């Protein structure tokens, strides 16, 4: 079955693009919008510079609608890492934080060096049970984790997060959504998270230079609480902005980059986002079955649900160049080779990958 979306993307016939976990492709429509917008912006007669505020507001509105988050709780950023460091700086310094071992370095490293008292949870097929045990014993104030793990593709059970929030309403839950958002439906308001942060260049197919934060009302009130209490000392020209917005958006934001993010979301809406998810999940089920039959998946993935769009194929990373030579765009991660399937992929991409593995990897190793 060919992808109903692949004709919207420029993918060379000799390329099998399975490296969306590293960087997603932009559609032809999004690229055309960018080109025209850039040309118009540098026209001296253009009024686009004067429309910066309205352009960014429109992006926030689109993000809020797409992920069901009030637009006043949506904040823009150049990338996940900048936004996440800003969030950490606004948390109470006495907070006890729970992290996953071997989570994304841009999640764990800044949390650790910020000086928070922290503890790690083992990341395996029993992740949710491990989290419950750690929360019961250490009683953290904040749980921070990636919704989908960048190496293994392990995905936290989102229904577990909802139940966890129900059981521990005072626990702040912060999620890195960069390897998740764009792959599945997500209702932030009802998901149990207090914050989800993401860059747009992977599964949202929006290129570099854009990211965003979705906040709950509770966490929005907690962040930089002492500064919010003394807001009156700030310059009057900033009185139309909240402290939280000033912290997450301290300077000028690139309207081209964030406009690109908005255009990508609008296109997903036009296609019917739930339809793109259904299509991709069917492809993922096929890939999981084929890779599992060949015993090429990590135990932590084989023995659990749900499935993310990422697979870490357990073949020697030395075969990375072999796959590249055959036109398979992928990347060595951990103990294997990481691939990801998005809406522009189809069964022929999977079959090509499997053929190369069967003929040039598995048989060769035997």
């Amino acid at each position: 079955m060919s992808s109903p979306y692949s004709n919207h993307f420029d993918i060379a016939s000799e390329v099998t693009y399975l490296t969306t976990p590293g960087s997603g492709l932009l559609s032809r429509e999004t690229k055309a919008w960018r080109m025209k917008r850039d040309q118009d912006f540098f026209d001296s007669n253009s009024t686009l510079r004067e429309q910066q505020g309205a352009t960014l507001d429109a992006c926030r509105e689109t993000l809020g609608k797409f992920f069901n988050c009030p637009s006043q709780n949506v904040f823009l950023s150049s990338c996940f890492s900048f936004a996440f460091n800003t969030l950490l700086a606004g948390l109470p310094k006495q907070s006890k934080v729970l992290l996953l071992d071997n989570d994304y370095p841009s999640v764990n490293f800044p949390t650790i060096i910020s000086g928070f008292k922290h503890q790690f949870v083992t990341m395996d097929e029993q992740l949710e049970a491990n989290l419950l045990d750690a929360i019961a014993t250490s009683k953290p104030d904040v749980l921070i984790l990636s919704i989908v793990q960048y190496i293994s593709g392990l995905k936290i059970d989102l229904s577990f997060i909802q139940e966890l929030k129900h059981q521990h309403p005072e626990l702040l839950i912060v999620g890195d959504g960069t390897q998740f958002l764009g792959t599945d439906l997500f209702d932030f308001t009802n998901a149990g998270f207090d914050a989800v942060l993401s860059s747009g260049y992977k599964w949202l197919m929006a290129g570099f230079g854009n990211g965003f934060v979705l906040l709950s009302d509770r966490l929005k009130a907690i962040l930089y609480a002492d500064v919010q209490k003394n807001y009156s000392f700030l310059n009057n020209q900033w009185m139309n902005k909240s402290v939280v917005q000033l912290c997450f958006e301290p300077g000028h934001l690139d309207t081209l980059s964030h406009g690109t993010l908005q255009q990508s979301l609008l296109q997903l809406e036009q296609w019917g986002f739930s339809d793109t998810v259904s299509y991709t999940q069917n492809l993922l089920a096929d890939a999981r079955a084929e890779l599992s039959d060949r015993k090429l998946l990590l135990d932590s993935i084989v023995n659990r649900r749900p499935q993310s769009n990422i697979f870490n194929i357990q073949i020697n990373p030395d075969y990375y160049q072999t796959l590249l030579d055959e036109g398979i765009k992928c990347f060595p991660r951990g103990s294997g080779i990481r691939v990801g399937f998005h809406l522009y992929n189809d069964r022929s991409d999977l079959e090509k990958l499997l053929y190369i593995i069967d003929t040039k990897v598995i048989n060769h190793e035997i």
Side-chain angles (χ1 to χ4, degrees):
M1 179 180 64
S2 62
S3 167
Y5 311 104
S6 60
N7 63 339
H8 293 273
F9 297 85
D10 295 311
I11 307 175
S13 59
E14 67 273 14
V15 168
T16 301
Y17 197 85
L18 300 180
T19 193
T20 303
S23 181
L25 298 173
L26 271 68
S27 71
R28 291 194 183 108
E29 293 86 347
T30 300
K31 288 191 292 185
W33 179 91
R34 279 179 62 93
M35 184 176 296
K36 184 179 186 305
R37 172 91 174 40
D38 219 20
Q39 290 174 341
D40 291 346
F41 185 84
F42 289 106
D43 183 341
S44 60
N45 290 318
S46 171
T47 61
L48 288 177
R49 289 174 178 81
E50 289 73 34
Q51 297 171 16
Q52 180 190 32
T55 299
L56 297 175
D57 283 344
C59 183
R60 293 187 193 93
E61 290 284 345
T62 299
L63 283 162
K65 177 184 175 185
F66 198 88
F67 297 115
N68 191 28
C69 178
S71 60
Q72 65 268 25
N73 288 9
V74 178
F75 302 94
L76 305 178
S77 180
S78 59
C79 64
F80 163 83
S81 294
F82 181 88
F84 182 60
N85 279 273
T86 302
L87 184 146
L88 290 175
L91 288 174
K93 298 306 177 186
Q94 71 275 15
S95 299
K96 293 194 299 181
V97 179
L98 199 59
L99 300 168
L100 305 186
D101 60 350
N102 298 314
D103 204 337
Y104 191 42
S106 292
V107 171
N108 283 0
F109 178 70
T111 305
I112 294 167
I113 66 170
S114 294
F116 292 109
K117 185 177 181 180
H118 60 277
Q119 179 178 333
F120 292 104
V121 175
T122 301
M123 184 163 41
D124 57 24
E125 60 267 28
Q126 302 299 323
L127 174 58
E128 288 79 9
N130 298 343
L131 283 168
L132 287 176
D133 289 343
I135 291 168
T137 56
S138 65
K139 295 180 171 47
D141 302 298
V142 188
L143 167 63
I144 303 176
L145 50 75
S146 295
I147 298 175
V148 171
Q149 291 299 315
Y150 78 113
I151 291 179
S152 66
L154 186 149
K155 180 179 180 180
I156 190 73
D157 186 340
L158 293 178
S159 64
F160 167 80
I161 295 294
Q162 291 177 310
E163 181 59 27
L164 184 63
K165 190 64 174 180
H166 178 73
Q167 294 179 13
H168 302 275
E170 296 304 308
L171 176 67
L172 294 172
I173 306 177
V174 176
D176 170 13
T178 304
Q179 293 288 12
F180 167 69
L181 296 180
T183 68
D184 203 350
L185 302 175
F186 184 65
D187 179 342
F188 174 77
T189 296
N190 298 299
F193 287 94
D194 292 281
V196 169
L197 309 88
S198 180
S199 292
Y201 67 94
K202 296 180 187 288
W203 304 95
L204 291 171
M205 306 175 293
F208 292 94
N210 58 70
F212 56 93
V213 185
L214 312 174
L215 288 183
S216 68
D217 287 334
R218 177 169 173 251
L219 182 52
K220 185 178 176 182
I222 290 173
L223 292 174
Y224 300 97
D226 291 342
V227 181
Q228 292 194 58
K229 292 175 184 175
N230 297 294
Y231 190 24
S232 59
F233 75 83
L234 293 173
N235 192 304
N236 287 336
Q237 68 182 354
W238 283 348
M239 292 304 289
N240 64 330
K241 295 185 177 181
S242 69
V243 168
V244 175
Q245 183 178 3
L246 289 171
C247 291
F248 279 114
E249 303 176 359
H252 290 286
L253 292 161
D254 184 358
T255 53
L256 177 64
S257 294
H258 285 92
T260 303
L261 173 61
Q262 182 188 22
Q263 291 303 309
S264 185
L265 294 175
L266 291 174
Q267 188 164 37
L268 287 171
E269 287 183 343
Q270 180 183 348
W271 287 335
F273 184 48
S274 61
D275 293 334
T276 72
V277 170
S278 295
Y279 166 79
T280 309
Q281 288 184 344
N282 287 333
L283 181 59
L284 293 172
D286 290 345
R288 182 186 178 105
E290 295 282 4
L291 294 171
S292 181
D293 286 346
R294 289 167 173 79
K295 302 188 185 307
L296 293 177
L297 296 181
L298 293 160
D299 290 342
S300 59
I301 301 300
V302 171
N303 297 328
R304 61 175 281 126
R305 294 289 192 272
Q307 174 66 56
S308 75
N309 290 50
I310 296 174
F311 296 95
N312 194 300
I313 303 174
Q314 293 303 285
I315 59 177
N316 192 320
D318 290 344
Y319 283 102
Y320 171 56
Q321 189 60 50
T322 301
L323 293 171
L324 284 186
D325 292 344
E326 297 292 337
I328 306 290
K329 295 290 187 181
C330 53
F331 200 75
R333 283 292 191 188
S335 57
I337 302 289
R338 183 184 68 183
V339 299
F341 293 89
H342 205 9
L343 55 83
Y344 37 68
N345 296 120
D346 57 28
R347 179 75 195 192
S348 66
D349 293 330
L350 173 60
E351 289 174 351
K352 181 177 178 181
L353 172 66
L354 295 172
Y355 175 77
I356 301 305
I357 291 173
D358 290 345
T359 60
K360 296 183 180 291
V361 178
I362 294 178
N363 288 345
H364 180 72
E365 290 191 335
I366 292 174

